[in-house]
């Protein structure tokens, strides 16, 4: 029987509801080693639990029921805090195990083998993370260059092998600064090639940040190989206008790719929250869904994007504990 693994325990896929597929609720980029990080650029820091409860509450008020939190060990993830946010907001929260870009890798990665790294990830999914019984329900791989190499390659292979042992889906990150140097605008093809070589079912892989530098042909190619394509920086219009994103999604729906699409906003900074005049976690539901409706996207298609697809990809296809909560 399939289950979605949340920080408060395992739930049935149909319990997940309207889902933001790629968000941050608690993170601290200052833990990363980035000597050349521009001083004037606001780092990705969210540490005020009361504020996040308020901001995530707006998402709940707009109809949201679940948030997939993609911060990993190495830059501030704390599943105990995520559990508190889940309890206080009434939202299901899925935590993530895996590795972010090289500058944010934990120190132990440097001297660890792929097998040891995979064992660490399996433990976070099957036993508990951050010294807590709360477990991760998703795996993450990341790249910061125009190719997958070095420590990032070892981490990506470890994610693939942990997936094979746990059944948890894989989500991916590609740094925007290198994305424009890659044919098709996205490192998704490289990820799929590596995962395929490791024996991963590509239907269990999400290619993230596809709406920063979108190439419609490449998006179709990724989905033709079975992967999910994620429009997860909706509202960040310095990359792409939301109207253009809506046009692309409507076009992909018309071409029959709706079953491979996910939506989110990737909130990472105080300036992106409503308290600071930002668009907040509820932007997709309040502002972007109306854009899709203006383009003829009907309720059935919206249900697919926001409910059915997340329930499918984030559920784990193997028997796990019958008890759904560990509180």
């Amino acid at each position: 029987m399939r289950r979605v693994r949340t920080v408060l325990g395992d739930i049935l896929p149909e319990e997940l509801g309207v889902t933001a597929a790629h968000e941050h609720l608690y993170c601290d980029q200052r833990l990363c080693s980035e000597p050349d990080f521009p001083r004037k650029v606001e780092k990705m820091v969210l540490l005020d639990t009361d504020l996040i409860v308020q901001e995530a509450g707006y998402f709940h008020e707009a109809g949201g029921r679940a948030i997939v939190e993609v911060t990993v060990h190495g830059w501030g993830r704390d599943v105990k805090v995520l559990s508190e946010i889940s309890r206080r907001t009434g939202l299901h929260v899925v935590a993530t195990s895996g590795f972010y870009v090289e500058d944010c890798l934990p120190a132990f990665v440097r001297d660890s083998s792929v097998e040891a790294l995979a064992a660490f990830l399996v433990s976070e999914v099957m036993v508990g993370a951050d010294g807590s019984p709360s477990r991760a329900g998703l795996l993450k791989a990341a790249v910061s260059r125009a190719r997958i190499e070095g420590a990032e390659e070892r981490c990506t292979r470890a994610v693939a092998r942990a997936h094979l042992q746990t059944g948890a889906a894989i989500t991916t990150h590609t740094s925007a600064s290198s994305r424009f140097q890659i044919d098709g605008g996205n490192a998704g093809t490289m990820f799929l090639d590596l995962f395929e070589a490791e024996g991963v079912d590509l239907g269990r892989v999400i290619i993230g940040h596809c709406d920063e530098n979108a190439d419609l042909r490449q998006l179709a190619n990724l989905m033709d190989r079975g992967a999910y394509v994620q429009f997860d920086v909706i509202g960040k219009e310095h990359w792409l206008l939301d109207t253009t994103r809506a046009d692309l999604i409507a076009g992909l729906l018309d071409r029959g790719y709706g079953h491979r699409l996910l939506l989110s906003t990737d909130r990472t900074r105080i300036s992106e929250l409503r308290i600071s005049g930002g668009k907040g976690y509820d932007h997709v539901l309040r502002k972007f869904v109306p854009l899709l409706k203006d383009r003829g996207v009907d309720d059935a298609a919206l249900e697919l994007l926001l409910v059915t697809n997340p329930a499918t990809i984030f559920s784990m296809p193997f028997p796990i504990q019958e008890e759904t909560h560990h509180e």
Side-chain angles (χ1 to χ4, degrees):
M1 186 176 291
R2 300 175 71 90
R3 291 285 192 273
V4 176
R5 180 147 286 174
T6 80
V7 292
L8 297 184
D10 302 331
I11 63 172
L12 295 171
E14 54 266 32
E15 296 180 74
L16 198 62
V18 172
T19 301
H22 185 107
E23 301 292 347
H24 298 270
L25 299 170
Y26 195 81
C27 61
D28 190 353
Q29 190 184 17
R30 297 171 303 179
L31 298 174
C32 304
S33 57
E34 296 174 296
D36 298 323
F37 195 93
R39 292 183 178 180
K40 293 183 179 180
V41 175
E42 180 190 3
K43 288 196 174 185
M44 297 182 286
V45 178
L46 295 172
L47 297 174
D48 186 334
T49 304
D50 290 337
L51 174 60
I52 297 304
V53 167
Q54 175 181 316
E55 293 282 336
Y58 298 138
F59 175 70
H60 189 277
E61 290 171 7
R65 292 297 175 264
I67 289 179
V68 178
E69 214 284 358
V70 294
T71 308
V72 293
H73 183 70
W75 64 298
R77 184 204 60 199
D78 189 329
V79 295
K80 296 182 290 295
V81 173
L82 299 184
S83 297
E84 177 187 349
I85 292 170
S86 179
R87 284 191 292 266
R88 291 175 63 183
T89 60
L91 292 166
H92 299 299
V93 176
V94 176
T96 303
S97 183
F99 302 104
Y100 193 43
V101 297
E102 186 170 9
D103 286 336
C104 296
L105 292 176
F108 70 82
V109 170
R110 185 179 303 109
D111 299 319
S112 296
S113 66
V114 172
E115 291 74 18
L117 296 173
F120 168 76
L121 303 180
V122 170
S123 177
E124 291 204 326
V125 173
M126 302 304 292
V127 180
D130 305 328
S132 164
S134 292
R135 296 171 289 184
L138 180 67
L139 295 162
K140 182 177 183 178
V143 64
S144 59
R145 302 181 182 87
R147 56 188 177 273
I148 305 173
E149 62 182 4
E152 291 178 344
E153 181 181 352
R154 283 190 291 116
C155 289
T156 300
R157 292 191 184 278
V159 165
R161 295 177 194 183
H163 156 78
L164 293 175
Q165 295 180 60
T166 65
I170 299 171
T171 194
T172 58
H173 164 91
T174 304
S175 294
S177 59
S178 60
R179 201 168 297 191
F180 301 104
Q181 304 166 21
I182 300 169
D183 289 342
N186 183 286
T189 298
M190 293 188 292
F191 272 119
L192 295 189
D193 289 346
L194 187 152
F195 289 140
E196 191 169 51
E198 288 283 340
V200 172
D201 173 5
L202 300 187
R204 300 291 293 152
V205 177
I206 301 164
I207 301 302
H209 303 329
C210 287
D211 54 328
E212 287 185 3
N213 186 29
D215 182 319
L216 190 60
R217 293 168 300 180
Q218 196 220 25
L219 299 185
N221 288 337
L222 296 173
M223 290 186 282
D224 284 340
R225 294 182 67 179
Y228 283 74
V229 158
Q230 197 162 255
F231 279 52
D232 57 25
V233 290
I234 296 170
K236 297 184 179 182
E237 297 195 287
H238 56 288
W239 294 120
L240 198 69
L241 295 177
D242 275 358
T243 51
T244 303
R245 291 184 172 103
D247 290 339
L248 288 167
I249 290 173
L252 290 168
L253 287 167
D254 287 343
R255 298 182 188 195
Y257 289 112
H259 63 299
R260 285 291 184 266
L261 287 170
L262 297 164
L263 307 180
S264 208
T265 67
D266 194 23
R267 299 280 79 105
T268 58
R269 299 171 173 89
I270 296 293
S271 63
E272 296 169 350
L273 305 182
R274 285 176 57 175
I275 194 173
S276 302
K279 296 176 179 178
Y281 295 105
D282 56 337
H283 175 71
V284 167
L285 301 182
R286 287 189 304 106
K287 297 296 185 180
F288 191 69
V289 164
L291 290 180
L292 293 176
K293 289 183 174 180
D294 287 345
R295 285 151 179 80
V297 177
D298 61 19
D299 289 342
L302 292 171
E303 178 86 2
L304 186 64
L305 300 180
L306 296 169
V307 179
T308 306
N309 289 349
T312 301
I313 186 62
F314 295 121
S315 60
M316 301 169 69
F318 67 100
I320 41 186
Q321 293 182 8
E322 293 182 4
E323 182 181 359
T324 57
H325 294 277
H326 58 64
E327 291 183 283

